[in-house]
Amino acid sequence: MIRSERHHTAQRLEGYAYFALFCGCIPLANWLIGNVGTVCPPNSPCLIPVWPGTLAPSGVLAIGLALVLRDLVQRRLGLAWSVGAIVVGAVLSGLVSPPALVVASVAAFVLSEVADLAVYTPLQRRGLVLAVAASGVVGIVVDSVLFLSLAFGSLDFLWGQMIGKGWGLLLALPVVRWLRKRDTQLGFGAT
């Protein structure tokens, strides 16, 4: 019984850490867009290379990671916490986005995270890595199309957005696979 309580406590603490990291991704992405890039044109987001000849707004890596972290919040703390993370993330996005990008940031954030949740939830029992990968791809597409359409009225950076967020997802997948393996070894009842 004591071991079970320790495992439950460890799972909760890990979930709270994922929640905090998820929330931190939102201001990080907005800060990156305004301050970090190989190119920072006036009145435009700072850009980074994500593929040879392809640039994207610099916040893409943080947003790709946020999609994975939301999945991990749900895995550790449950669906209600995951929905709460989306609400908190939307508020943070609205507070830290440049005024001209608030509507685009909040709408793209909420709808991409809800799409991610809608794909992740039914797939999580079939396998954690599959669920995170599939939901991440859906979230990346929804976020990229909505943000660019609403913020700039153009899909000029679509491929760059999707590739950049995809790098964040791809870099996280080995960690997710390791977490699943560790969960099994610790008896966390994970898939």
Side-chain angles (χ1 to χ4, degrees):
M1 184 70 164
I2 292 174
R3 182 176 179 197
S4 176
E5 288 176 27
R6 272 190 260 155
H7 281 178
H8 181 71
T9 300
Q11 285 179 305
R12 303 289 295 169
L13 290 173
E14 205 172 283
Y16 299 143
Y18 295 145
F19 188 94
L21 290 169
F22 170 82
C23 290
C25 283
I26 291 102
L28 175 63
N30 282 285
W31 180 82
L32 289 169
I33 285 173
N35 297 289
V36 176
T38 55
V39 179
C40 291
N43 300 318
S44 188
C46 290
L47 305 171
I48 60 170
V50 293
W51 193 261
T54 305
L55 298 174
S58 56
V60 295
L61 296 175
I63 296 304
L65 181 59
L67 291 163
V68 173
L69 288 166
R70 201 239 19 104
D71 293 343
L72 296 175
V73 167
Q74 182 172 343
R75 180 172 174 80
R76 286 292 182 253
L77 301 175
L79 184 60
W81 274 90
S82 185
V83 171
I86 294 171
V87 171
V88 170
V91 170
L92 284 171
S93 186
L95 292 173
V96 300
S97 294
L101 300 179
V102 169
V103 171
S105 292
V106 172
F109 177 83
V110 169
L111 293 174
S112 66
E113 290 292 343
V114 168
D116 180 282
L117 182 139
V119 172
Y120 175 82
T121 301
L123 288 179
Q124 67 181 328
R125 285 184 175 54
R126 296 185 70 193
L128 178 63
V129 176
L130 168 68
V132 170
S135 65
V137 168
V138 169
I140 286 168
V141 171
V142 170
D143 186 75
S144 299
V145 169
L146 281 174
F147 180 76
L148 291 172
S149 296
L150 294 173
F152 307 113
S154 163
L155 296 177
D156 288 347
F157 292 114
L158 181 61
W159 287 112
Q161 284 261 335
M162 292 194 311
I163 291 168
K165 291 170 192 168
W167 283 121
L169 175 62
L170 283 174
L171 292 172
L173 286 178
V175 175
V176 170
R177 188 167 195 267
W178 174 82
L179 286 171
R180 184 196 50 77
K181 189 180 244 183
R182 187 197 64 165
D183 285 355
T184 302
Q185 291 169 345
L186 294 174
F188 279 2
T191 54

